[in-house]
Amino acid sequence: MKTRYLNRATRNFDGFAILKTIGTSLLGIIVATFLAATATSADFEFLPIGPHGPEYRSYAPSVATSPGGSTMVAYNTSGVVLMTFVEVQRLATHGSGLPEALPDPVVLGQGYAPEICWTRHGWICAYGSGSMLVITESDLNGTWDLVNQTLIPMPGEVAGIDLWGVPSDAAGPSAFMTVQVWLNPPHGGYETHYLGRTGFGWDAPELVLPETPLPQYPQVTFSYGPAGPWPTIFYLTEDGGQMHLWSTTKDLAAGWSTPVEVFGDGVSSPTGFAGVFDVVRQWDLQTNILGLGPQPTCPCRNILHQEFSGSTQPTEDLTAHVDAFDLPMSPNLAIDDNGRTHAFWMQEASDVNLNPRWRTLEYRIREDGSWLDHGDLLASQNVPGLGTSVALDVSGAGYPVLAWSRTDTIEGVPQGSRVWVGRLDSALSPVPEDVPRRAAAICAWPNPVIPRVELAGETSVPGPVSRVVYGARGSGVAVLFGGFGAAGRHERVWSG
């Protein structure tokens, strides 16, 4: 999930086992071993969501998927009333075929720049409304609690939010959030606050990054603490006309650590990143960053990827060269269960006279150290009315879910903008047989379940494990376990 800023995750986790029930009365249980997908064909299906008509505008999407394959999309919408609202739309994106819009969209309230993530308790959506931070939460079935919304005053205008949901039952927060505050609009002055979601509710905002004249673009992910994940924040600062990338981690006892500079590869020193970026950290703490490079004197810049896994890897320039000048925007990054990196962004191209002529959706997948360009799958969406922000997440079943906005003209009549969702129908390439695959096997007794069931699960490799009970309609019933599990056997009892 990408942070939305005024001028424009859930992070996915891998290695899970899903227990599905047969029928609504729990008459039986399917026991399965989940391995890496091996499909060889690829196709995208597209679905527009949000209000439709020349007076409506829907834009700035944020996407979060659940382990069961449901997707929630949050976005801005405006219409005949000159106010901006935040809506959420749930989609069924597991299995094959077109993404299915399940209920009608839900209006959460007046605001902008929504960010959404999935946690072990359901979805969380946070957005700004002037100097107020608004947080709304759902249950596992995707039903939003509009009565008990959390309203938190901030010391300035909310300018950007990032969320990371913790897929674990371990001690500590179930969600991390950073909020970038614009202290003195329309002039400069930005600072960053952190909030954690515990069993007692949301913590009070904690100032982490003091005021700087330029945006810090904070992104929150995790590190390992003594009893579960704890937040790590990546951010940018400016010194001597050059941007520097830093990180700081919260410690259970000592608070936030002394910031550590994330150095570049020796070529783009100290770092190639100078604008909005997205960061994804895997469970072995390998960190991937996709971000915008320095802005030259022309209307163009590069979009760069860098990997930090024990040592810094060379910076990779992923910019698509479409015209004389290329301007990438809204970088989004995700890692799937097979360890492949997905990069998604929107790019504007201008001719030699600096006239914008093209807007394209750019989509890349990195596998076995090489980037493959799959932007042709989205070519039908490359219309002049593309919005400037896009979103990406990868579902628990391994399906990439992408979202963007665009404005259409139907039979010569201008229409308002709508949010579009695209889902990859199958894997883009087969997984080699010699690639180690994460597997989790579960069994249950008695079967049928009357009235309680004992569950035993076994994982072949250590890593994050989540056991979730789903009803016949695909909605979550109970979370039996979520956390980092050692290789071997694990047991649980469920009363139904």
Side-chain angles (χ1 to χ4, degrees), residues 234 245 247 260-273 281 285-289 304-316 366:
F234 287 81
L245 182 65
S247 71
V260 175
E261 186 168 0
V262 181
F263 289 99
D265 59 1
V267 177
S268 51
S269 179
T271 178
F273 303 110
R281 175 166 280 184
L285 298 186
Q286 174 181 311
T287 304
N288 294 69
I289 298 178
L304 308 173
H305 171 265
Q306 195 158 14
E307 179 181 305
F308 306 90
S309 180
S311 60
T312 302
Q313 303 301 311
T315 301
E316 300 168 291
R366 186 173 187 257

Side-chain angles (χ1 to χ4, degrees), residues 37-44 336 338 340-343 363-367 371-378 398-400 402 423-431:
T38 58
T40 58
S41 62
D43 194 17
F44 258 105
D336 68 23
N338 299 320
R340 296 179 298 187
T341 304
H342 298 248
Y363 179 43
R364 310 282 187 273
I365 297 181
R366 186 173 187 257
E367 187 173 9
W371 286 98
L372 300 178
D373 185 352
H374 297 291
D376 57 326
L377 295 172
L378 299 165
Y399 295 109
L402 292 72
R423 197 216 58 174
L424 190 62
D425 190 52
S426 58
L428 287 166
S429 60
V431 178

Side-chain angles (χ1 to χ4, degrees), residues 8-23:
R8 50 154 253 256
T10 305
R11 311 302 179 199
N12 70 299
F13 61 100
D14 52 17
F16 64 89
I18 298 179
L19 177 68
K20 280 194 173 181
T21 61
I22 301 178

Side-chain angles (χ1 to χ4, degrees), residues 57-368:
R57 294 182 62 240
S58 299
Y59 54 97
S62 177
V63 174
T65 60
S66 74
S70 291
T71 295
M72 197 73 75
V73 184
Y75 52 91
N76 286 145
T77 184
S78 60
V80 292
V81 180
L82 299 180
M83 293 188 294
T84 301
F85 295 89
V86 172
E87 289 188 1
V88 289
Q89 171 72 69
R90 185 183 172 196
L91 308 171
T93 50
H94 58 285
S96 61
L98 187 71
E100 177 189 359
L102 294 178
D104 292 331
V106 177
V107 179
L108 300 186
Q110 184 180 352
Y112 53 85
E115 181 74 3
I116 195 167
C117 76
W118 163 265
T119 77
R120 59 183 181 264
H121 303 301
W123 281 277
I124 295 175
C125 182
Y127 57 92
S129 183
S131 60
M132 187 70 69
L133 172 67
V134 185
I135 306 172
T136 313
E137 303 183 34
S138 83
D139 59 17
L140 291 172
N141 295 317
T143 301
W144 292 91
D145 186 354
L146 301 179
V147 176
N148 298 307
Q149 290 181 312
T150 302
L151 306 178
I152 301 177
M154 302 301 294
E157 188 169 344
V158 175
I161 298 169
D162 193 37
L163 277 168
W164 191 80
V166 181
S168 169
D169 285 331
S174 59
F176 308 146
M177 184 192 306
T178 57
V179 181
Q180 182 169 258
V181 173
W182 195 3
L183 296 173
N184 188 29
H187 307 288
Y190 299 86
E191 63 184 26
T192 294
H193 297 255
Y194 166 80
L195 299 86
R197 176 65 163 92
T198 70
F200 301 100
W202 287 92
D203 297 333
E206 178 183 2
L207 179 63
V208 179
L209 308 179
E211 180 179 354
T212 57
L214 297 177
Q216 300 153 337
Y217 302 119
Q219 292 286 291
V220 65
T221 181
F222 76 99
S223 293
Y224 287 118
W230 280 91
T232 292
I233 297 175
F234 287 81
Y235 62 97
L236 287 172
T237 63
E238 188 270 340
D239 183 18
Q242 192 167 32
M243 303 303 292
H244 298 251
L245 182 65
W246 299 80
S247 71
T248 179
T249 298
K250 187 177 180 65
D251 182 82
L252 183 62
W256 291 95
S257 65
T258 301
V260 175
E261 186 168 0
V262 181
F263 289 99
D265 59 1
V267 177
S268 51
S269 179
T271 178
F273 303 110
V276 179
F277 66 95
D278 196 12
V279 60
V280 174
R281 175 166 280 184
Q282 301 183 62
W283 291 101
D284 59 1
L285 298 186
Q286 174 181 311
T287 304
N288 294 69
I289 298 178
L290 181 73
L292 304 183
Q295 177 77 58
T297 55
C298 63
C300 60
R301 73 193 317 161
N302 296 329
I303 187 166
L304 308 173
H305 171 265
Q306 195 158 14
E307 179 181 305
F308 306 90
S309 180
S311 60
T312 302
Q313 303 301 311
T315 301
E316 300 168 291
D317 187 348
L318 302 187
T319 310
H321 297 290
V322 179
D323 212 320
F325 302 110
D326 302 301
L327 182 63
M329 306 179 193
S330 190
N332 282 258
L333 200 62
I335 308 293
D336 68 23
D337 293 345
N338 299 320
R340 296 179 298 187
T341 304
H342 298 248
F344 182 46
W345 69 94
M346 194 284 293
Q347 190 165 303
E348 184 174 85
S350 301
D351 61 19
V352 293
N353 296 318
L354 307 183
N355 299 311
R357 296 202 305 177
W358 305 89
R359 281 191 175 181
T360 59
L361 296 173
E362 303 297 335
Y363 179 43
R364 310 282 187 273
I365 297 181
R366 186 173 187 257
E367 187 173 9
D368 297 330

